[in-house]
């Protein structure tokens, strides 16, 4: 019983990790969607204010 439960947990962890890796690679987020006060984010907003290129995806 313990072996079955352990294998189930390992399979769930591997599935979750694979799903997160797939999501990260299939839809990369904008580099400007990081921290507040980021120099890259400030510069991006200054260069492209009408496009709001640096707004975080929701």
């Amino acid at each position: 019983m313990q072996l079955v439960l352990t294998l189930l947990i390992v399979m769930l962890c591997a599935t979750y990790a694979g799903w997160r890796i797939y999501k990260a690679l299939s839809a990369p987020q904008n580099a400007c969607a990081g921290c507040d006060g980021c120099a890259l984010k400030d510069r991006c907003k200054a260069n492209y204010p009408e496009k709001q290129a640096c707004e975080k995806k929701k």
Side-chain angles (χ1 to χ4, degrees):
M1 181 66 175
Q2 289 176 339
L3 180 61
V4 172
L5 187 58
T6 302
L7 290 175
L8 180 64
I9 291 171
V10 169
M11 285 180 15
L12 288 173
C13 290
T15 302
Y16 178 74
W19 176 70
R20 294 296 296 180
I21 291 169
Y22 169 76
K23 294 288 279 183
L25 294 176
S26 65
Q29 294 202 2
N30 189 347
C32 295
C35 312
D36 290 333
C38 175
L40 178 61
K41 184 176 182 178
D42 294 339
R43 186 172 181 157
C44 193
K45 279 187 174 182
N47 290 340
Y48 304 103
E50 69 279 353
K51 292 184 181 179
Q52 296 180 1
C54 294
E55 292 300 317
K56 189 172 184 178
K57 290 183 179 179
K58 293 185 180 187

